[in-house]
Structure formats: structure tokens, C-alpha cells
Amino acid sequence: MDLTEPDIARIREQFDFDRSGRVVTNNAASTQPPRQLLDLYRSLTPFYENVHRGQSDASRYTTDRFESSYDTIAGWLGAPSRRSIATYRNTTEAINAVMYSLLTEFRDGDNVVTTMLEHNSNYVPWHGLCREILPRFGRRVELRIARFDHRTGELDLDHLASLVDARTKLVCCSGASNFLGSKPPLPIVRAIADAGGYPQPTGERRARLLVDGAQLVPSSFVDVQALDVDYLAFSFHKLLAPFGVGVLYAKEHLLEQSLPFLYGGDMIADGQVTPDAVGYNGLPWKYSAGTPNILGVIVSAQALRLAVDLVGGDPTRMHFRSEDPVPGPVVRRTMDRIGEHTAHLTRRAMDGLSGVPGLRMLGGPPGTPRSPLVAFTVAGWSPFELAAELNRHGVESRAGCHCATLAHHDLGLDPPASCRLSFYLYNSNADVDRAVDAVRKVVAHRPPAPTPVGGRHRREAA
Ligand SMILES: Cc1ncc(COP(=O)(O)O)c(C=O)c1O
């Protein structure tokens, strides 16, 4: 059942932005944190202590909360246990962790296949590996890039299949594009990766599959075992939690067998450091070197539970602040509700924008499955000037390449930029209508300002 307007009104009461009148429509960059999560930080401070580093009640209390957060995250993703979960600062760091852990496994003549749809986080590390790092060790590993259909934004699966061969060690693919909105069909991508037949050190004969779930996990039900992904990365700051925590899911046997990405304290088995040998801690702590973002991880896992409560994913009970397992059907209902609501908002925005003169929406037509965002250009307008004008109307959009630089260049956008509106569970029809209205007014009534030479806009993350 879809979220109703009263549901949305009730949800918005939990967020500070609602009091400020902001039209928060840049959610693909980061979502807003509900007040309960910020209050949760505060309630943890009486027991503020490090984890795995003390015998006090406070340290044990915090350690228990921290460890059980891994169970919550694992359960949410359908992972078999916390042993498959590593936490990092964000998606980018999680993908880099895979890259550095696999660094020594590549053989001369191997290749990595990625796509033109990728965020730079899932392209630049592979570029760095193949073009900069491995050549310094005298190893040649090719980076191959699958195309997408310029009209629909869909990944060209035939082209992807043509790039995967017996030397493809890894396929790196976005689960949902942060620019064109397209969602590559992961079961087909999995089958293509399998068909390559690469002999992995584990004995398997197939390419591994890494999915960038940064835009997928916040608004879709994702079951890592059903999808049979080897690696999945996402960031909690796009899923209600404050900044600072990203997740890497990886199959347990891969984490067992890989080298760590970071070396140091807490990733070591008790007492097993001598001048000659170092023994690693058991999973998942082998991948948790140094003091982690303890409160951030606890609050992030609780953000998942709060999402259930906010959208009414479990009619039988509340889950926030508890540590009981969240049943799979509850996770599914929660994510379906979020997915349906944000898809509805996106369709509404696309319908509204379709009448704006000179406006070109990028990616598939309204009605095709897409991440809850729409990127567009308007003839005669710099996306940066457009975003600045929208901001004057109180509407928060994002102009730039959204770090999807490859795709912007591939589409021939000059400058390589677009303006993007993106939605989350707390957005209302009124938000969408205000945003669309603002675009209409700006385009109709305000001629674009001449673009000053240099320093036209603040630096945009790429
Ligand atoms: C598809 C995609 N991948 C990766 C990232 C990078 O996320 P983070 O900045 O949290 O590392 C983003 C963020 O916008 C994204 O949209």
C-alpha cells in the first residue's frame, strides 16, 4: 500500500528540515537525518567508550551495541551473518577496500569490466588499479567499459557480454544510476559475469560481481544472497543516517581469503603479533583496523529500524532502539513502501517537467523503472545557473556531473553537467509540485544570466 499524504505529514514531523520550509530535493547526494537518530547519539553518551578495548561496563555496553549493529545490517541485506559485513566511511572507501584487498590477486593479462553508467567511485579506483598501480608492478590488466543506450540510459547488456571473457576477474556495475536513473538487471549481469569462467583462487570459475548499491539500497529491497553478488557497497548518509558510515558486504569466503585493506589494531588475533608473524582477527573484525566510527555505526544500523517504523513496515511492533532481528518480510515491506512512494514522486516530477519548453530529461521515459531522481538540461541554460535560480525559489537541486562524469561526456553534454532533482521517503506531492513549478517559472520568466568567465560556480564534486 502506498504512503498517503497524512503518512508523509507524520513522517516529516520527525525531521528538522520540515520547520525551515526547505524543499529538500537533493536526496541522491544525502538524505536528511530524523531527530530520533540525533537523540540516539545523545542517549549513548552515558556509556561512551571504545569497543573491544576495555573491561568496564561502559565498554562492554558499547561493544555489544556496536557488534549487534553488524547483525542488523547483515539481516537487512539478507547476508548470512555479520561475518560478511565491513564498515567504512562511505561507498567510495568500501569500493577502494575491495580494490586494495584484491590488488595482489591480479595476473598479467586479466581484465576488469565496468560500465559507462558508473559513479566515479566505481570507475576511478579501477582506472587507478589498471592504469597506475599494477603497471608499477609490471602487471598489465585491462579496464573495459560497457556502453549504455543513449536514448533509454539502459546498460547495453550485449556489449557487456562481449567484454567479459575468461580473463575477466571482476565485473563492477552500478545497481542504480545516480544520473540516468537506470537500474541494470543484476541477475542478467550476474549471468554474464558467470559465463566468463575466470578461474578464481577460490576454485570458482567465474568473474566476481561488485555492485555499487549507493543509489539502490536506500530505496529498494536488496537480498545479497538471492542476487548472488560477491560485493555490495553503499552509504548510510543516503539512507537517513548522519554522514560517516559506509558498508561493504562481501561473501564470507572472499573476506576470509583476501588480504585486509587496512592494517593495525583490532584486526589482529589476540596476542598474535611477533617480529616474524601476525595473525588476523576473525571476521568481521579482520576488516576493522583502528577505532571505528562506533556511534556512527550504531546510529546507522538503527536508521534501518527507524525506517521500518516511519513507513509502517511492521504493523505488529516498533523496531527502533531494539536489537531483535528484523524479519525479512518486514524489510521487504519497508523497502517496497519507500520504493513505491519515491517512484510515484519521480513519475509526478517527470510528468510535470515534460511540458517545460526546451527541457530535456535524461534517461528512460516516465514509467520505466528508475532510481528516484530525474536529471535534465534546458536549452540556453547552464545547469549551474538553473540550480542557482531554483535555490532562489527555495528548491534544492544539484547541478554538475554528479560524479557520473563518463556518462555526461558520453552523451556529449557540454559542459558535462545536468540539473537533478531527487526524492526520498519524506518528500510530498507538494514538494514535487513546488520544484516543477519553480523550474517552469525560472525557465519562462528569467532569462539566463550571462555566464561570467571563470569562477562561475563553486567546485562541484566529480
Ligand atoms: C551511484 C553512487 N555510487 C557511489 C557514490 C559515492 O558515495 P559516497 O560519496 O558516500 O562514497 C554515490 C554518491 O553520490 C553514488 O550515487
Side-chain angles (χ1 to χ4, degrees):
M1 201 185 74
D2 226 352
L3 292 173
T4 61
E5 287 289 313
D7 290 332
I8 300 301
R10 181 182 44 76
I11 290 171
R12 288 169 77 99
E13 283 169 12
Q14 312 299 331
F15 293 81
D16 285 339
F17 78 84
D18 196 36
R19 297 177 185 160
S20 65
R22 290 170 61 190
V23 181
V24 173
T25 41
N26 185 21
N27 296 288
S30 284
T31 51
Q32 299 290 309
R35 263 192 308 281
Q36 289 109 309
L37 283 186
L38 303 170
D39 294 344
L40 178 61
Y41 269 109
R42 185 80 191 157
S43 70
L44 292 166
T45 53
F47 308 98
Y48 188 94
E49 246 302 350
N50 210 320
V51 294
H52 305 147
R53 291 162 175 84
Q55 283 64 45
S56 65
D57 285 349
S59 180
R60 280 169 208 258
Y61 176 87
T62 305
T63 299
D64 286 349
R65 305 285 83 69
F66 177 72
E67 292 196 349
S68 87
S69 302
Y70 277 60
D71 298 332
T72 299
I73 297 167
W76 193 268
L77 299 174
S81 79
R82 66 164 76 153
R83 292 169 61 80
S84 289
I85 303 298
T87 59
Y88 292 105
R89 287 186 304 151
N90 46 43
T91 304
T92 306
E93 196 171 81
I95 292 173
N96 274 271
V98 177
M99 190 271 276
Y100 282 108
S101 292
L102 293 186
L103 188 62
T104 55
E105 286 189 23
F106 282 91
R107 294 175 302 154
D108 213 37
D110 283 350
N111 64 72
V112 175
V113 176
T114 183
T115 87
M116 282 286 191
L117 289 172
E118 300 314 304
H119 187 283
N120 289 334
S121 296
N122 199 24
Y123 172 68
V124 177
W126 307 115
H127 172 92
L129 177 80
C130 298
R131 299 285 180 81
E132 290 182 359
I133 301 173
L134 290 176
R136 293 195 177 195
F137 294 102
R139 222 164 288 168
R140 284 169 299 115
V141 170
E142 194 188 340
L143 181 58
R144 301 175 176 176
I145 312 177
R147 296 187 292 254
F148 63 88
D149 182 316
H150 282 197
R151 200 176 42 83
T152 63
E154 299 298 335
L155 181 61
D156 182 338
L157 295 165
D158 291 336
H159 188 231
L160 179 73
S162 75
L163 298 180
V164 173
D165 61 22
R167 297 307 304 273
T168 304
K169 184 171 177 63
L170 188 67
V171 172
C172 304
C173 183
S174 165
S177 158
N178 72 330
F179 162 45
L180 299 172
S182 34
K183 294 177 152 183
L186 294 178
I188 298 179
V189 175
R190 172 76 268 179
I192 291 172
D194 286 354
Y198 182 97
Q200 300 285 358
T202 47
E204 290 171 294
R205 295 190 73 89
R206 60 179 184 169
R208 289 184 192 155
L209 174 61
L210 180 153
V211 171
D212 173 354
Q215 298 294 341
L216 181 70
V217 174
S219 51
S220 313
F221 176 72
V222 173
D223 181 326
V224 287
Q225 291 194 83
L227 289 172
D228 196 16
V229 295
D230 295 291
Y231 306 99
L232 173 86
F234 70 95
S235 296
F236 269 112
H237 69 88
K238 297 180 195 290
L239 211 172
L240 299 177
F243 305 113
V245 178
V247 168
L248 175 66
Y249 157 82
K251 284 184 179 163
E252 191 178 323
H253 71 280
L254 300 179
L255 292 178
E256 282 286 13
Q257 164 252 310
S258 284
L259 290 178
F261 155 49
L262 293 167
Y263 291 79
D266 208 32
M267 50 82 72
I268 295 302
D270 249 0
Q272 290 193 32
V273 179
T274 67
D276 296 322
V278 165
Y280 299 132
N281 208 340
L283 295 177
W285 317 123
K286 173 182 168 189
Y287 291 88
S288 176
T291 298
N293 183 350
I294 299 164
L295 297 191
V297 169
I298 297 172
V299 167
S300 294
Q302 287 290 337
L304 300 172
R305 296 174 177 280
L306 187 54
V308 177
D309 298 350
L310 285 175
V311 304
D314 189 348
T316 66
R317 53 164 297 198
M318 305 302 260
H319 289 266
F320 183 52
R321 287 188 184 248
S322 118
E323 292 184 359
D324 301 338
V326 184
V330 170
V331 177
R332 182 182 277 280
R333 199 175 311 119
T334 299
M335 294 318 297
D336 285 353
R337 285 189 149 208
I338 294 174
E340 280 161 23
H341 177 63
T342 52
H344 155 79
L345 296 173
T346 309
R347 274 194 306 274
R348 188 178 180 100
M350 292 180 80
D351 288 345
L353 292 173
S354 62
V356 177
L359 187 144
R360 172 190 176 199
M361 281 180 269
L362 300 150
T368 50
R370 56 158 58 223
S371 11
L373 55 89
V374 52
F376 52 92
T377 56
V378 179
W381 279 86
S382 142
F384 297 95
E385 295 294 347
L386 191 52
E389 287 295 328
L390 291 178
N391 187 48
R392 268 175 221 126
H393 285 71
V395 171
E396 298 177 9
S397 64
R398 179 185 177 187
C401 68
H402 323 299
C403 305
T405 318
L406 285 176
H408 277 78
H409 283 307
D410 204 45
L411 286 172
L413 295 174
D414 182 17
S418 55
C419 192
R420 184 183 73 185
L421 296 167
S422 50
F423 310 102
Y424 206 47
L425 60 89
Y426 37 67
N427 283 122
S428 59
N429 286 338
D431 286 339
V432 172
D433 295 348
R434 266 188 72 185
V436 168
D437 229 47
V439 175
R440 270 207 207 104
K441 283 196 183 112
V442 165
V443 171
H445 302 301
R446 300 273 309 266
T451 303
V453 178
R456 175 183 50 173
H457 40 259
R458 277 179 297 131
R459 192 180 163 276
E460 139 82 357

